[in-house]
Amino acid sequence: MAEIRVQEGPFDLGHEINRFEAALSGAGAVVSFTGLVRDEGGRLQAMEIEHYPGMTERAVAAIAGEAERRWRLAGCLVIHRHGRLGPGERIMMVATAAPHRADAFAAAEFLMDYLKSRAPFWKKEHGASGETWVAARDADEEALRRW
Amino acid sequence: MIDVLYFAWVRERIGVPKERVETEAPTVAALVEELRAREERYAMAFADLSAIRVAIDQELAEFDAPLAGAREVAFFPPMTGG
């Protein structure tokens, strides 16, 4: 059963990975991915992340459930933040654990591709020249086709 | 009565995050037509439906989906998580 957290505050990556590993049994591989706010060459002042409370948790749980059906996983963790974040701050993380690394890598990539365009989050960049909603890219939609 | 929610730039164009709408619209598309006819801000927000996604009761849906029994409909741009 995947652990899913949608939260405003920061998280401690080392603590989360240690906790995740400690709870595993039968795992030989752990893969983790962390997404950070890019500073865009110093132009970005803040990133604001809006989400759809209720639907977000359901959508992320459905994506994680699909990963657990497709690969033999010993554990799956997703943390995604919302609210106002500064450059360099962690936005989100996924961690997957499996008996062997191939399943852990594949499941982590699958989770990232689906979180990008199927979980109800929207990013707005605040910079010196104003505010801009980040547009979805065609490449994000393309990325889903390989699964 | 149905709760209609808006997110991101759809919310900004319409000016509210949520409202209760009295409607008999049979589909999402019909609800959009009713909203568009209300005021310019709705017409502006719904000018290009290819840029808008919809969820019925917190599940992604299509514009031709029926609204019978739905409690909540949400409109938003393509998602940008991760």
Side-chain angles (χ1 to χ4, degrees):
Chain A
M1 205 40 195
E3 179 186 348
I4 288 146
R5 284 182 6 225
V6 180
Q7 62 185 51
E8 188 156 7
F11 57 88
D12 180 330
L13 181 65
H15 170 75
E16 297 299 343
I17 295 286
N18 286 338
R19 206 178 45 82
F20 180 68
E21 285 184 0
L24 295 172
S25 75
V30 171
V31 165
S32 78
F33 170 87
T34 312
L36 307 177
V37 178
R38 275 182 285 269
D39 71 358
E40 305 294 357
R43 285 178 290 114
L44 187 111
Q45 293 166 348
M47 173 81 86
E48 197 180 322
I49 300 175
E50 181 170 333
H51 79 118
Y52 182 170
M55 180 173 170
T56 308
E57 291 79 0
R58 288 171 63 151
V60 177
I63 293 166
E66 182 60 26
E68 286 173 322
R69 270 188 293 281
R70 291 187 185 211
W71 293 281
R72 197 176 148 207
L73 299 181
C76 178
L77 166 69
V78 179
I79 302 177
H80 204 303
R81 295 178 62 194
H82 59 90
R84 199 179 172 95
L85 281 65
E89 277 194 67
R90 293 189 191 108
I91 301 174
M92 55 88 62
M93 70 167 290
V94 303
T96 52
H100 298 282
R101 72 176 187 276
D103 281 354
F105 272 116
E109 281 219 89
F110 172 89
L111 286 171
M112 287 313 306
D113 281 347
Y114 272 83
L115 288 170
K116 195 104 209 154
S117 46
R118 290 294 183 274
F121 291 99
W122 301 274
K123 296 193 181 107
K124 186 189 227 183
E125 294 178 346
H126 293 259
S129 51
E131 305 173 351
T132 324
W133 286 102
V134 174
R137 301 178 312 152
D138 290 342
D140 297 336
E141 204 58 37
E142 293 284 315
L144 301 186
R145 295 205 193 136
R146 65 178 161 146
W147 305 108
Chain B
M1 288 290 260
I2 195 163
D3 285 324
V4 184
L5 284 71
Y6 311 105
F7 292 95
W9 58 254
V10 180
R11 169 180 55 71
E12 289 179 340
R13 284 186 197 176
I14 288 171
V16 292
K18 182 176 180 174
E19 59 188 334
R20 301 213 80 188
V21 174
E22 184 81 59
T23 181
E24 298 294 325
T27 62
V28 176
L31 172 63
V32 169
E33 283 315 308
E34 287 182 11
L35 293 170
R36 269 177 172 158
R38 275 183 165 190
E39 279 178 57
E40 181 57 26
R41 58 196 169 106
Y42 292 94
M44 259 182 59
F46 290 110
D48 176 11
L49 290 189
S50 72
I52 295 186
R53 302 289 177 268
V54 56
I56 299 175
D57 291 333
Q58 306 190 350
E59 297 278 356
L60 284 173
E62 302 293 331
F63 280 91
D64 59 5
L67 278 183
R71 294 182 311 274
E72 187 173 299
V73 176
F75 295 101
F76 42 78
M79 296 159 270
T80 53

